PDB file of all heavy atoms in Angstrom:
ATOM      1  N   THR T 282     -17.890  19.599  13.215  1.00  0.00           N
ATOM      2  CA  THR T 282     -19.193  19.362  12.566  1.00  0.00           C
ATOM      3  C   THR T 282     -19.824  18.107  13.167  1.00  0.00           C
ATOM      4  O   THR T 282     -19.733  17.039  12.588  1.00  0.00           O
ATOM      5  CB  THR T 282     -19.058  19.309  11.001  1.00  0.00           C
ATOM      6  OG1 THR T 282     -20.314  18.993  10.452  1.00  0.00           O
ATOM      7  CG2 THR T 282     -18.026  18.288  10.582  1.00  0.00           C
ATOM      8  N   PRO T 283     -20.441  18.234  14.337  1.00  0.00           N
ATOM      9  CA  PRO T 283     -20.882  17.051  15.072  1.00  0.00           C
ATOM     10  C   PRO T 283     -22.155  16.391  14.501  1.00  0.00           C
ATOM     11  O   PRO T 283     -22.398  15.232  14.810  1.00  0.00           O
ATOM     12  CB  PRO T 283     -21.160  17.602  16.469  1.00  0.00           C
ATOM     13  CG  PRO T 283     -21.487  19.046  16.276  1.00  0.00           C
ATOM     14  CD  PRO T 283     -20.614  19.474  15.111  1.00  0.00           C
ATOM     15  N   GLU T 284     -22.968  17.110  13.730  1.00  0.00           N
ATOM     16  CA  GLU T 284     -24.245  16.562  13.333  1.00  0.00           C
ATOM     17  C   GLU T 284     -24.273  15.887  11.953  1.00  0.00           C
ATOM     18  O   GLU T 284     -25.079  15.030  11.689  1.00  0.00           O
ATOM     19  CB  GLU T 284     -25.299  17.669  13.339  1.00  0.00           C
ATOM     20  CG  GLU T 284     -25.447  18.350  14.673  1.00  0.00           C
ATOM     21  CD  GLU T 284     -25.932  17.424  15.759  1.00  0.00           C
ATOM     22  OE1 GLU T 284     -26.640  16.447  15.406  1.00  0.00           O
ATOM     23  OE2 GLU T 284     -25.639  17.659  16.915  1.00  0.00           O
ATOM     24  N   HIS T 285     -23.376  16.321  11.068  1.00  0.00           N
ATOM     25  CA  HIS T 285     -23.397  15.785   9.740  1.00  0.00           C
ATOM     26  C   HIS T 285     -22.025  15.921   9.082  1.00  0.00           C
ATOM     27  O   HIS T 285     -21.197  16.749   9.532  1.00  0.00           O
ATOM     28  CB  HIS T 285     -24.435  16.526   8.867  1.00  0.00           C
ATOM     29  CG  HIS T 285     -24.183  18.010   8.833  1.00  0.00           C
ATOM     30  ND1 HIS T 285     -23.254  18.570   7.954  1.00  0.00           N
ATOM     31  CD2 HIS T 285     -24.681  19.029   9.533  1.00  0.00           C
ATOM     32  CE1 HIS T 285     -23.240  19.898   8.133  1.00  0.00           C
ATOM     33  NE2 HIS T 285     -24.099  20.174   9.080  1.00  0.00           N
ATOM     34  N   ASP T 286     -21.782  15.106   8.069  1.00  0.00           N
ATOM     35  CA  ASP T 286     -20.509  15.197   7.335  1.00  0.00           C
ATOM     36  C   ASP T 286     -20.465  16.517   6.593  1.00  0.00           C
ATOM     37  O   ASP T 286     -21.508  17.060   6.213  1.00  0.00           O
ATOM     38  CB  ASP T 286     -20.397  13.990   6.381  1.00  0.00           C
ATOM     39  CG  ASP T 286     -18.947  13.749   5.961  1.00  0.00           C
ATOM     40  OD1 ASP T 286     -18.062  14.578   6.292  1.00  0.00           O
ATOM     41  OD2 ASP T 286     -18.681  12.724   5.333  1.00  0.00           O
ATOM     42  N   ASP T 287     -19.276  17.000   6.349  1.00  0.00           N
ATOM     43  CA  ASP T 287     -19.083  18.308   5.655  1.00  0.00           C
ATOM     44  C   ASP T 287     -17.882  18.187   4.724  1.00  0.00           C
ATOM     45  O   ASP T 287     -16.769  18.580   5.051  1.00  0.00           O
ATOM     46  CB  ASP T 287     -18.876  19.406   6.680  1.00  0.00           C
ATOM     47  CG  ASP T 287     -18.836  20.799   6.041  1.00  0.00           C
ATOM     48  OD1 ASP T 287     -18.677  20.863   4.783  1.00  0.00           O
ATOM     49  OD2 ASP T 287     -18.982  21.776   6.745  1.00  0.00           O
ATOM     50  N   PRO T 288     -18.091  17.592   3.546  1.00  0.00           N
ATOM     51  CA  PRO T 288     -16.973  17.398   2.577  1.00  0.00           C
ATOM     52  C   PRO T 288     -16.256  18.711   2.236  1.00  0.00           C
ATOM     53  O   PRO T 288     -15.049  18.696   1.966  1.00  0.00           O
ATOM     54  CB  PRO T 288     -17.656  16.772   1.361  1.00  0.00           C
ATOM     55  CG  PRO T 288     -18.884  16.091   1.909  1.00  0.00           C
ATOM     56  CD  PRO T 288     -19.359  16.992   3.014  1.00  0.00           C
ATOM     57  N   GLU T 289     -16.990  19.817   2.210  1.00  0.00           N
ATOM     58  CA  GLU T 289     -16.339  21.101   1.870  1.00  0.00           C
ATOM     59  C   GLU T 289     -15.347  21.493   2.951  1.00  0.00           C
ATOM     60  O   GLU T 289     -14.238  21.918   2.675  1.00  0.00           O
ATOM     61  CB  GLU T 289     -17.426  22.175   1.723  1.00  0.00           C
ATOM     62  CG  GLU T 289     -16.865  23.514   1.264  1.00  0.00           C
ATOM     63  CD  GLU T 289     -17.935  24.530   1.008  1.00  0.00           C
ATOM     64  OE1 GLU T 289     -19.124  24.137   0.747  1.00  0.00           O
ATOM     65  OE2 GLU T 289     -17.652  25.743   1.084  1.00  0.00           O
ATOM     66  N   LEU T 290     -15.742  21.314   4.187  1.00  0.00           N
ATOM     67  CA  LEU T 290     -14.806  21.589   5.319  1.00  0.00           C
ATOM     68  C   LEU T 290     -13.592  20.610   5.211  1.00  0.00           C
ATOM     69  O   LEU T 290     -12.456  21.017   5.361  1.00  0.00           O
ATOM     70  CB  LEU T 290     -15.514  21.416   6.654  1.00  0.00           C
ATOM     71  CG  LEU T 290     -14.761  21.752   7.918  1.00  0.00           C
ATOM     72  CD1 LEU T 290     -15.757  22.010   9.066  1.00  0.00           C
ATOM     73  CD2 LEU T 290     -13.798  20.637   8.383  1.00  0.00           C
ATOM     74  N   ALA T 291     -13.896  19.340   4.926  1.00  0.00           N
ATOM     75  CA  ALA T 291     -12.854  18.330   4.884  1.00  0.00           C
ATOM     76  C   ALA T 291     -11.835  18.620   3.796  1.00  0.00           C
ATOM     77  O   ALA T 291     -10.641  18.305   3.910  1.00  0.00           O
ATOM     78  CB  ALA T 291     -13.464  16.958   4.652  1.00  0.00           C
ATOM     79  N   ALA T 292     -12.257  19.270   2.714  1.00  0.00           N
ATOM     80  CA  ALA T 292     -11.384  19.568   1.582  1.00  0.00           C
ATOM     81  C   ALA T 292     -10.532  20.807   1.809  1.00  0.00           C
ATOM     82  O   ALA T 292      -9.649  21.122   1.011  1.00  0.00           O
ATOM     83  CB  ALA T 292     -12.170  19.698   0.299  1.00  0.00           C
ATOM     84  N   ASP T 293     -10.811  21.529   2.875  1.00  0.00           N
ATOM     85  CA  ASP T 293     -10.097  22.781   3.161  1.00  0.00           C
ATOM     86  C   ASP T 293      -8.949  22.496   4.122  1.00  0.00           C
ATOM     87  O   ASP T 293      -9.156  22.264   5.307  1.00  0.00           O
ATOM     88  CB  ASP T 293     -11.067  23.796   3.793  1.00  0.00           C
ATOM     89  CG  ASP T 293     -10.430  25.165   3.994  1.00  0.00           C
ATOM     90  OD1 ASP T 293      -9.183  25.223   3.962  1.00  0.00           O
ATOM     91  OD2 ASP T 293     -11.153  26.137   4.209  1.00  0.00           O
ATOM     92  N   PRO T 294      -7.701  22.537   3.644  1.00  0.00           N
ATOM     93  CA  PRO T 294      -6.556  22.181   4.516  1.00  0.00           C
ATOM     94  C   PRO T 294      -6.392  23.144   5.685  1.00  0.00           C
ATOM     95  O   PRO T 294      -5.746  22.808   6.670  1.00  0.00           O
ATOM     96  CB  PRO T 294      -5.358  22.248   3.565  1.00  0.00           C
ATOM     97  CG  PRO T 294      -5.777  23.095   2.423  1.00  0.00           C
ATOM     98  CD  PRO T 294      -7.259  22.876   2.278  1.00  0.00           C
ATOM     99  N   ASN T 295      -6.983  24.308   5.582  1.00  0.00           N
ATOM    100  CA  ASN T 295      -6.887  25.276   6.676  1.00  0.00           C
ATOM    101  C   ASN T 295      -7.891  25.022   7.798  1.00  0.00           C
ATOM    102  O   ASN T 295      -7.773  25.589   8.883  1.00  0.00           O
ATOM    103  CB  ASN T 295      -7.080  26.718   6.168  1.00  0.00           C
ATOM    104  CG  ASN T 295      -5.957  27.107   5.219  1.00  0.00           C
ATOM    105  OD1 ASN T 295      -4.780  26.849   5.474  1.00  0.00           O
ATOM    106  ND2 ASN T 295      -6.336  27.723   4.089  1.00  0.00           N
ATOM    107  N   ARG T 296      -8.898  24.172   7.512  1.00  0.00           N
ATOM    108  CA  ARG T 296      -9.930  23.924   8.519  1.00  0.00           C
ATOM    109  C   ARG T 296     -10.022  22.492   8.991  1.00  0.00           C
ATOM    110  O   ARG T 296     -10.441  22.232  10.123  1.00  0.00           O
ATOM    111  CB  ARG T 296     -11.310  24.347   7.952  1.00  0.00           C
ATOM    112  CG  ARG T 296     -11.448  25.826   7.715  1.00  0.00           C
ATOM    113  CD  ARG T 296     -12.921  26.186   7.530  1.00  0.00           C
ATOM    114  NE  ARG T 296     -13.511  25.616   6.325  1.00  0.00           N
ATOM    115  CZ  ARG T 296     -14.791  25.334   6.167  1.00  0.00           C
ATOM    116  NH1 ARG T 296     -15.651  25.593   7.127  1.00  0.00           N
ATOM    117  NH2 ARG T 296     -15.245  24.868   5.028  1.00  0.00           N
ATOM    118  N   VAL T 297      -9.623  21.544   8.136  1.00  0.00           N
ATOM    119  CA  VAL T 297      -9.914  20.138   8.443  1.00  0.00           C
ATOM    120  C   VAL T 297      -9.232  19.647   9.701  1.00  0.00           C
ATOM    121  O   VAL T 297      -9.698  18.716  10.365  1.00  0.00           O
ATOM    122  CB  VAL T 297      -9.508  19.239   7.239  1.00  0.00           C
ATOM    123  CG1 VAL T 297      -7.986  19.242   7.022  1.00  0.00           C
ATOM    124  CG2 VAL T 297     -10.014  17.817   7.410  1.00  0.00           C
ATOM    125  N   ASN T 298      -8.135  20.256  10.109  1.00  0.00           N
ATOM    126  CA  ASN T 298      -7.416  19.812  11.295  1.00  0.00           C
ATOM    127  C   ASN T 298      -7.260  20.958  12.294  1.00  0.00           C
ATOM    128  O   ASN T 298      -6.504  20.827  13.251  1.00  0.00           O
ATOM    129  CB  ASN T 298      -6.047  19.270  10.890  1.00  0.00           C
ATOM    130  CG  ASN T 298      -5.634  18.125  11.798  1.00  0.00           C
ATOM    131  OD1 ASN T 298      -6.466  17.373  12.294  1.00  0.00           O
ATOM    132  ND2 ASN T 298      -4.336  18.018  12.027  1.00  0.00           N
ATOM    133  N   ASN T 299      -8.015  22.018  12.114  1.00  0.00           N
ATOM    134  CA  ASN T 299      -7.866  23.215  12.927  1.00  0.00           C
ATOM    135  C   ASN T 299      -8.800  23.168  14.122  1.00  0.00           C
ATOM    136  O   ASN T 299      -9.826  23.869  14.159  1.00  0.00           O
ATOM    137  CB  ASN T 299      -8.123  24.449  12.066  1.00  0.00           C
ATOM    138  CG  ASN T 299      -7.807  25.732  12.784  1.00  0.00           C
ATOM    139  OD1 ASN T 299      -7.401  25.738  13.961  1.00  0.00           O
ATOM    140  ND2 ASN T 299      -7.962  26.855  12.106  1.00  0.00           N
ATOM    141  N   PHE T 300      -8.473  22.341  15.088  1.00  0.00           N
ATOM    142  CA  PHE T 300      -9.337  22.250  16.284  1.00  0.00           C
ATOM    143  C   PHE T 300      -8.543  21.667  17.469  1.00  0.00           C
ATOM    144  O   PHE T 300      -7.542  20.994  17.318  1.00  0.00           O
ATOM    145  CB  PHE T 300     -10.552  21.382  16.008  1.00  0.00           C
ATOM    146  CG  PHE T 300     -10.237  19.937  15.740  1.00  0.00           C
ATOM    147  CD1 PHE T 300     -10.250  18.984  16.748  1.00  0.00           C
ATOM    148  CD2 PHE T 300      -9.950  19.468  14.448  1.00  0.00           C
ATOM    149  CE1 PHE T 300      -9.985  17.642  16.519  1.00  0.00           C
ATOM    150  CE2 PHE T 300      -9.671  18.125  14.167  1.00  0.00           C
ATOM    151  CZ  PHE T 300      -9.677  17.224  15.220  1.00  0.00           C
ATOM    152  N   LEU T 301      -9.063  22.019  18.651  1.00  0.00           N
ATOM    153  CA  LEU T 301      -8.600  21.413  19.907  1.00  0.00           C
ATOM    154  C   LEU T 301      -9.852  20.859  20.616  1.00  0.00           C
ATOM    155  O   LEU T 301     -10.954  21.009  20.121  1.00  0.00           O
ATOM    156  CB  LEU T 301      -7.898  22.454  20.761  1.00  0.00           C
ATOM    157  CG  LEU T 301      -6.642  23.109  20.133  1.00  0.00           C
ATOM    158  CD1 LEU T 301      -6.157  24.281  20.965  1.00  0.00           C
ATOM    159  CD2 LEU T 301      -5.525  22.060  19.994  1.00  0.00           C
ATOM    160  N   TYR T 302      -9.636  20.205  21.728  1.00  0.00           N
ATOM    161  CA  TYR T 302     -10.768  19.552  22.416  1.00  0.00           C
ATOM    162  C   TYR T 302     -11.233  20.297  23.656  1.00  0.00           C
ATOM    163  O   TYR T 302     -12.424  20.358  23.941  1.00  0.00           O
ATOM    164  CB  TYR T 302     -10.413  18.131  22.817  1.00  0.00           C
ATOM    165  CG  TYR T 302     -10.225  17.199  21.634  1.00  0.00           C
ATOM    166  CD1 TYR T 302      -8.956  16.676  21.363  1.00  0.00           C
ATOM    167  CD2 TYR T 302     -11.271  16.842  20.826  1.00  0.00           C
ATOM    168  CE1 TYR T 302      -8.772  15.827  20.272  1.00  0.00           C
ATOM    169  CE2 TYR T 302     -11.109  16.005  19.718  1.00  0.00           C
ATOM    170  CZ  TYR T 302      -9.837  15.454  19.468  1.00  0.00           C
ATOM    171  OH  TYR T 302      -9.678  14.623  18.412  1.00  0.00           O
ATOM    172  N   ARG T 303     -10.306  20.884  24.407  1.00  0.00           N
ATOM    173  CA  ARG T 303     -10.704  21.316  25.772  1.00  0.00           C
ATOM    174  C   ARG T 303     -11.711  22.439  25.750  1.00  0.00           C
ATOM    175  O   ARG T 303     -12.675  22.422  26.531  1.00  0.00           O
ATOM    176  CB  ARG T 303      -9.415  21.788  26.517  1.00  0.00           C
ATOM    177  CG  ARG T 303      -9.702  22.152  27.952  1.00  0.00           C
ATOM    178  CD  ARG T 303      -8.418  22.494  28.687  1.00  0.00           C
ATOM    179  NE  ARG T 303      -7.515  21.366  28.726  1.00  0.00           N
ATOM    180  CZ  ARG T 303      -6.276  21.426  29.162  1.00  0.00           C
ATOM    181  NH1 ARG T 303      -5.785  22.561  29.597  1.00  0.00           N
ATOM    182  NH2 ARG T 303      -5.493  20.349  29.142  1.00  0.00           N
TER     183      ARG T 303
END
Side-chain angles (χ1 to χ4, degrees):
T282 176
E284 302 297 332
H285 57 82
D286 200 352
D287 187 343
E289 185 176 336
L290 185 159
D293 185 343
N295 296 316
R296 293 197 293 156
V297 66
N298 213 32
N299 188 358
F300 66 93
L301 298 172
Y302 293 114
R303 185 175 299 172

